[in-house]
């Protein structure tokens, strides 16, 4: 039986769309087919004709929210309109005092329970119940006295006068921590006991915006003798689906990468993959925008389309990054011409060489917050991460003159020109970097965000947390030079089509070629990326073999498929975890993943990655050498 709720996590074998027609079931959406895999467990959805999304009440409705035959209401449902009703509630015992007052909690909220003075038996039962035990309460809804109304609770106007109380499952008395939103344990403990951590209201709310879990295979990790059990990424398979004649396809795919976890990365992550035949960049963008707006949570401020678009080059020169946070201005400005013959030899020399430049941005009224300690930390960032860029931080004084290192050496008229060009005011901070252009832009892009953080920690409003600024970034370079290896690498992946007017560069100067790639950015976070794919087999072979040095043995099957008459096609993958984290205002995607990994990529709860049996080692032709990082296959 197939679920009708579209946000469920559908995980599939990449080839499940090749199941025969007898496995198909018509969905409630027009012109679409669900293709079912193993006993209806694995699913893929393929759009057969229309791109238009239609709402179907049968498809979208989730009935019986939180209710069942054993309880009448959820713990977050009761209101003053329920006064006098007999109710049955089930939830976790969060708090009790002397057996006369208790709070029970479920996934939907909390309810206050009162026990009469004469109900000594009930009081003893509650006193003997450990916190976080699962209990059932039967009682009558009463209005609270006006002076006891709790506006911070959705049920704060009522309370339940208990008539019966039953412990359905007693929690152990030595739980590692209790569920208190105001006092959470440190993250390693939360990750180790994630099944408890998930009871926090914040995570409950976050994960309700998310989904859920398949053919697996064993892959060695970077931890000696340890292995992950993983699911394949669908990139080439969704392209093969287009080649196979499925012109519309999407999949919620679980992907796994053996790399260290960061706030916006996890070794295991969920993405929404979309692939379509005979589409342009604008077609894909419009579909994604329609999808985002259609599924936009109603409790968040409304958004509108079309989303603004900016080129990769513009993003770097204006914001110092290819994923700009446009909730605040503070744009970078080119001041190279103002430093030539400015009087300060350090700055003059920094912009002399070809490929060097100078950029600056202004922190409005930042002098009270950007102190010497902050500047020193920024200088460390410049030295360690952007050594080819020199950093100068100036205060804007009266008469638009500058104060700071090298300021006295800059001619007064140039100081005035800098201040007027950047439209400074007294009390502003001018952050300036000069040197290799890429280093300059990268450094200032990082410091722009760090400066915003400094001011916000001091209580200054810089970015509106209720704003959701979507932005398309387009015209990325197709390739980049990797100095360590001395090779040309694909910026994204080797299947991306170059812009029509840059095709010739493939064969003459590949590093000049721009791609038909597009990123979707939300509040400075890349939440999606896609491209129009190469469908010409000769071009694909040239890119793989001549430019990237990837042999036929590695991706020959794709070239063979392209040779069979592949339609033009393109698609996108939306990082669902990152997207949900942004909607929830979470600083880490770990807060929207039920069982995330630690910063080292380990599961502190289950101990993964773990050992495998000798039989599995033989099955996968593995020899594990102790005390060695090397893995032989």
């Amino acid at each position: 039986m197939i679920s009708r709720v579209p946000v469920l996590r559908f995980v599939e074998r990449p080839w499940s769309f090749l199941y025969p027609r007898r496995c198909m079931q018509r969905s409630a959406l027009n012109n679409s087919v669900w293709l079912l895999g193993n006993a209806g467990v694995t699913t893929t959805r393929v759009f057969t004709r229309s791109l238009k999304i239609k709402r179907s009440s049968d498809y979208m409705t989730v009935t019986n929210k939180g209710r069942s035959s054993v309880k009448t209401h959820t713990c977050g449902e009761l209101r003053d309109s329920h006064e006098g009703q007999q109710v049955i509630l089930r939830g976790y015992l969060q708090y009790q005092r002397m057996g006369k007052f208790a709070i029970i909690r479920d996934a939907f909220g909390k309810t206050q329970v009162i026990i009469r003075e004469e109900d000594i038996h009930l009081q003893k039962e509650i006193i003997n119940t450990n916190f976080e035990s699962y209990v059932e309460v039967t009682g009558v809804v009463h209005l609270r006295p006006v002076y006891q109304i709790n506006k911070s609770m959705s049920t704060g106007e009522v309370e339940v006068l208990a008539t019966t109380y039953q412990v359905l499952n007693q929690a152990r008395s030595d739980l590692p921590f209790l569920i208190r939103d105001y006092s959470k344990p440190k993250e390693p403990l939360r990750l180790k006991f994630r099944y408890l951590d998930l009871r926090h209201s914040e995570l409950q709310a976050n994960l309700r915006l998310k989904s859920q879990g398949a053919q697996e295979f064993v892959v060695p990790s970077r931890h000696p003798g340890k292995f992950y059990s993983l699911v394949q990424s669908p990139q080439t398979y969704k392209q093969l689906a287009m080649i196979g004649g499925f012109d519309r396809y999407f999949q919620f795919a679980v992907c796994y990468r053996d790399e260290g976890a960061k706030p916006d990365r996890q070794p295991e992550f969920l993405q929404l993959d979309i692939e379509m035949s005979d589409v342009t960049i604008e077609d894909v963008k419009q579909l994604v925008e329609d999808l985002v707006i259609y599924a936009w949570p109603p409790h968040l401020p409304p958004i509108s389309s079309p989303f603004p678009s900016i080129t990769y080059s513009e993003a770097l020169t204006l914001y110092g990054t290819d994923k700009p946070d446009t909730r605040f201005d503070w744009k970078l400005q080119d001041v190279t011409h103002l430093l030539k013959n400015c009087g300060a030899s350090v700055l003059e020399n920094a912009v002399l060489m070809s490929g060097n430049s100078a950029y600056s941005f202004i922190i409005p009224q930042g002098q009270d917050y950007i102190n010497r300690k902050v500047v020193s930390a920024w200088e460390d960032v410049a030295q360690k991460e952007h050594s080819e860029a020199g950093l100068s931080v100036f205060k804007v004084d009266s008469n638009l003159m500058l104060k700071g290192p090298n300021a006295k050496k800059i001619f007064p008229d140039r100081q005035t020109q800098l201040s007027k060009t950047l439209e400074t005011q007294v009390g502003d901070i001018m952050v300036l970097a000069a040197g290799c252009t890429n280093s300059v832009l990268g450094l200032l892009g990082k410091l722009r965000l760090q400066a915003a953080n400094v001011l916000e920690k001091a209580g200054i409003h810089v970015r509106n947390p209720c704003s959701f600024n979507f932005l398309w970034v387009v015209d990325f370079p197709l390739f980049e030079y990797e100095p360590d290896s001395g090779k040309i690498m694909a910026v994204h992946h080797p299947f991306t089509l170059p812009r029509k007017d840059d095709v010739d560069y493939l064969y003459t100067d590949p590093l000049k070629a721009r791609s038909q790639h597009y990123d979707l950015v939300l509040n400075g976070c890349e939440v999606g990326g896609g491209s129009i794919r190469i469908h010409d087999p000769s071009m694909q072979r040239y890119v793989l073999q001549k430019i990237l040095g990837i042999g036929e043995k590695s991706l020959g099957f794709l070239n063979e498929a392209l040779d069979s008459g592949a339609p033009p096609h393109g698609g996108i993958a939306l990082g669902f975890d990152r997207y949900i984290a942004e909607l929830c205002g979470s600083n880490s995607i770990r807060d929207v993943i039920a069982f995330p990994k630690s910063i080292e990529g380990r599961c502190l709860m289950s101990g993964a990655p773990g050992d495998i049996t000798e039989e599995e080692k033989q099955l996968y032709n593995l020899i594990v050498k102790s005390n060695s990082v090397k893995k032989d296959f």
Side-chain angles (χ1 to χ4, degrees), residues 6-19:
V7 293
L8 285 179
R9 181 173 176 176
F10 298 126
V11 180
E12 55 154 69
R13 294 181 178 88
W15 53 87
S16 62
F17 44 75
L18 300 180
Y19 276 67

Side-chain angles (χ1 to χ4, degrees), residues 293-308:
I293 291 174
Y294 176 82
W296 190 249
H299 68 280
L300 295 179
I303 58 174
S304 60
S305 63
F307 300 158

